[in-house]
Amino acid sequence: MWTELICGLFIYKLVRRFFDDDGQDLFEVETTDSNAIFSVADRLEKIYGGKAYVGLRIPDADTSSRQNIDVVLLSKEEAVIISVKNFSGFWSIDTDGSWVCSGGTKHKNERHPDPVAEAKRQVTVLESYLEQRGVALPEGYFSCRVVCPNPKFRSIPSTSFPHEVITYEQWVQLTPVPKSMFSGWIKGAFRGGKKDLQESIHEKLTFTLSTAPTWDRLELKSNKCILGEFLEFKGKQDDTLALRNIRRSKVNSLIIQKTSMFGLAPSKVQVLYSTRVYRTEGASTSDWKEVTVRASTEVLFQPQNTTQVRKFKLSSIVSMSLSA
């Protein structure tokens, strides 16, 4: 009997793994790409100071859609759009400017539109959006860079990529040094030689970027962060009713904490959520509310750049931030 049960379980897992391979690979790509964006943003803040705004979704009037911007680095000396390409393999540039890869993770040739041209397009969209919100900047004030932080990224030949591209070899050489010591490609990489922002313009940029539309952010206990869109909660009716006040229009973030349960009672989690306070920075203690629900309650979340919807149990989540 035990032998039959063990064999049945083994066959079930084998079949499930066979059919879920593509989905699991896609999920790994989703989380790895999002983690790369947050990792680049954190490192840039440590090296250059200032504030990195991650996962922006800027309205594009020309296409009536949203333009995704990975990172905007803003400091007293910098205003740079950063496009993060978590590419691996051997990459070269074709005659039309597109990037071509041979020998990637799946050993297939890949082709991507010119990331530098895409980043320059993002600059245009962001400047137009800022102008609509009353932030007038000198023409060409924002610059752009494409960062390739994957250790498995190789460029062929190594000098063929434009100066806007920061390859992995260049990325790992960045170290926090005094401003006066920046030179060579490091200076050209992010230091554009601009004068310090006027205080008033910097304040307007800070406020506008901090209130700009962004992707929702989901942080998992497996040290993975995912950018995408929160859809809804799924679970027992009493749990979903308890969570009914957690809506995008009212809540900007939530934190998941486990509660201690004894006996045969189902495992519970405590959901702490902060109500959205407009025209203020952050949330005070009185803004936080809490509700306790089953740990098996699920969050339906659609990662960016995919049509697939993912389910995450509350017990696997650390926090979630919701865009207005």
Side-chain angles (χ1 to χ4, degrees):
M1 176 180 177
W2 285 106
T3 303
E4 294 174 350
L5 287 174
I6 293 173
C7 290
L9 181 61
F10 174 77
I11 293 173
Y12 167 75
K13 288 187 174 181
L14 186 63
V15 172
R16 183 177 179 182
R17 181 173 182 180
F18 175 79
F19 285 105
D20 283 356
D21 256 357
D22 289 342
Q24 182 63 27
D25 287 345
L26 180 60
F27 175 70
E28 289 299 328
V29 170
E30 293 161 359
T31 54
T32 301
D33 288 348
S34 291
N35 280 344
I37 292 172
F38 285 108
S39 177
V40 167
D42 289 343
R43 188 153 186 254
L44 290 177
E45 284 185 336
K46 292 177 181 178
I47 294 176
Y48 296 103
K51 171 68 176 177
Y53 299 88
V54 179
L56 273 62
R57 302 180 68 194
I58 303 302
D60 184 351
D62 291 341
T63 61
S64 300
S65 62
R66 302 265 182 165
Q67 180 70 245
N68 297 330
I69 298 179
D70 293 335
V71 182
V72 174
L73 179 65
L74 178 65
S75 70
K76 292 294 183 66
E77 301 86 21
E78 303 301 327
V80 188
I81 284 180
I82 312 294
S83 177
V84 181
K85 298 300 181 184
N86 193 38
F87 294 158
S88 63
F90 296 89
W91 291 83
S92 59
I93 299 180
D94 206 346
T95 53
D96 63 355
S98 59
W99 290 19
V100 181
C101 172
S102 59
T105 54
K106 295 185 178 181
H107 306 289
K108 296 180 181 179
N109 288 339
E110 298 179 53
R111 179 179 291 270
H112 288 269
D114 183 359
V116 175
E118 290 180 343
K120 291 180 179 179
R121 166 66 179 159
Q122 293 170 6
V123 169
T124 302
V125 173
L126 181 58
E127 289 178 338
S128 176
Y129 170 77
L130 292 171
E131 184 178 358
Q132 291 176 10
R133 293 194 58 182
V135 183
L137 296 172
E139 184 178 353
Y141 190 85
F142 269 92
S143 60
C144 65
R145 295 294 181 268
V146 176
V147 175
C148 303
N150 195 317
K152 296 181 180 179
F153 176 88
R154 296 292 184 272
S155 56
I156 306 174
S158 59
T159 58
S160 65
F161 283 71
H163 72 275
E164 292 93 348
V165 178
I166 310 303
T167 64
Y168 174 73
E169 289 78 7
Q170 296 171 325
W171 175 245
V172 295
Q173 293 180 43
L174 290 176
T175 55
V177 294
K179 179 179 176 181
S180 60
M181 292 180 63
F182 278 87
S183 60
W185 74 264
I186 294 182
K187 180 177 180 181
F190 291 101
R191 300 288 178 182
K194 305 183 184 74
K195 295 182 179 179
D196 288 0
L197 280 170
Q198 295 180 10
E199 194 66 30
S200 61
I201 296 180
H202 185 268
E203 290 178 0
K204 288 181 180 179
L205 273 175
T206 299
F207 174 79
T208 306
L209 290 174
S210 64
T211 56
T214 64
W215 285 106
D216 299 332
R217 172 181 175 177
L218 188 67
E219 182 181 356
L220 304 178
K221 289 185 177 178
S222 54
N223 293 323
K224 294 179 179 179
C225 291
I226 308 175
L227 293 172
E229 183 177 1
F230 164 69
L231 300 178
E232 61 178 334
F233 294 104
K234 284 287 186 179
K236 299 291 185 180
Q237 184 177 11
D238 56 331
D239 289 329
T240 55
L241 285 174
L243 295 166
R244 66 185 181 278
N245 289 326
I246 300 181
R247 290 179 289 175
R248 185 179 307 280
S249 60
K250 294 184 176 182
V251 172
N252 58 17
S253 63
L254 55 92
I255 299 173
I256 312 300
Q257 296 180 336
K258 282 188 176 180
T259 59
S260 298
M261 301 297 292
F262 301 95
L264 299 177
S267 176
K268 300 276 187 175
V269 293
Q270 187 180 56
V271 181
L272 304 176
Y273 61 95
S274 64
T275 55
R276 194 175 296 282
V277 181
Y278 296 95
R279 301 179 183 276
T280 61
E281 294 257 342
S284 64
T285 304
S286 61
D287 295 322
W288 287 90
K289 299 180 181 180
E290 64 181 64
V291 62
T292 300
V293 296
R294 292 176 180 84
S296 58
T297 305
E298 294 178 327
V299 166
L300 269 60
F301 196 88
Q302 182 177 350
Q304 69 175 125
N305 302 325
T306 178
T307 58
Q308 295 193 21
V309 176
R310 302 292 178 184
K311 297 179 180 179
F312 301 94
K313 291 184 178 180
L314 286 178
S315 57
S316 68
I317 298 173
V318 175
S319 65
M320 183 166 63
S321 301
L322 302 178
S323 175

